[in-house]
Amino acid sequence: KYDIPSHIFITSDFIKNENNQFLNKNELRELSQIKNVSLGSHGKSHRKLVELDDDTVELEARESKKYIENITSKKINSISYPHGAFDNRVMKIFQKEDYIYGATSIFGSIDEKVDRLKLPRVDIWSNDTNDTIIQKINGSWNFINYINKLKKFKL
């Protein structure tokens, strides 16, 4: 209705296993055709990638991507790391599998210096007011980036 772009991350096994709590193949295909909707992977199985060996992480990256692309005929080049769990090893494997973007659970805003496979985010919660949402969208909450950086310094 408001023509707002959205990016939705899909866990492929949830669709493949026909879990009624999630989309089915037809719904995923329909969703992929909606204007301003783009899709990414949320892994194959939704397991914590940092706890898996390299071969299994590669399988998670490759199979999820291939499954979603086959259903939607759209290129998948982004991952939202399941459980927010990632490290440099996981990022390198996803990069090798032609992923360009990686969404994290790290609070922060995006600028030209941010690693594309380590994108921060600003959450919008159900109890946020309209004013708070507008503030977050306009960057008024970006000050938290500086607080988080200060916390990393040992004074």
Side-chain angles (χ1 to χ4, degrees), residues 54-138:
D54 288 2
D55 289 341
T56 307
V57 174
E58 286 177 19
L59 179 76
E60 287 278 331
R62 186 174 39 255
E63 292 299 314
S64 176
K65 177 184 188 65
K66 186 168 89 173
Y67 186 80
I68 298 167
E69 287 177 345
N70 285 340
I71 291 172
T72 65
S73 300
K74 304 270 179 150
K75 177 124 177 90
I76 301 299
N77 62 10
S78 64
I79 175 73
S80 176
Y81 304 107
H83 307 278
F86 73 98
D87 57 19
N88 287 335
R89 177 184 66 93
V90 168
M91 288 174 23
K92 286 178 185 174
I93 291 170
F94 273 83
Q95 185 174 32
K96 185 179 115 187
E97 295 295 331
D98 295 324
Y99 284 80
I100 299 171
Y101 305 102
T104 72
S105 297
I106 299 168
F107 183 91
S109 57
I110 297 171
D111 61 26
E112 65 280 349
K113 296 176 188 173
V114 172
D115 184 331
R116 288 182 179 180
L117 282 167
K118 196 176 178 179
L119 297 173
R121 67 178 175 190
V122 175
D123 295 337
I124 295 177
W125 297 95
S126 60
N127 60 343
D128 283 349
T129 65
N130 286 343
D131 287 340
T132 302
I133 293 170
I134 290 168
Q135 290 170 354
K136 288 179 175 181
I137 290 170
N138 289 330

Side-chain angles (χ1 to χ4, degrees), residues 5-17:
S6 63
H7 194 78
I8 300 169
F9 295 99
I10 306 296
T11 301
S12 59
D13 278 358
F14 292 172
I15 294 170
K16 189 180 227 177
N17 297 332

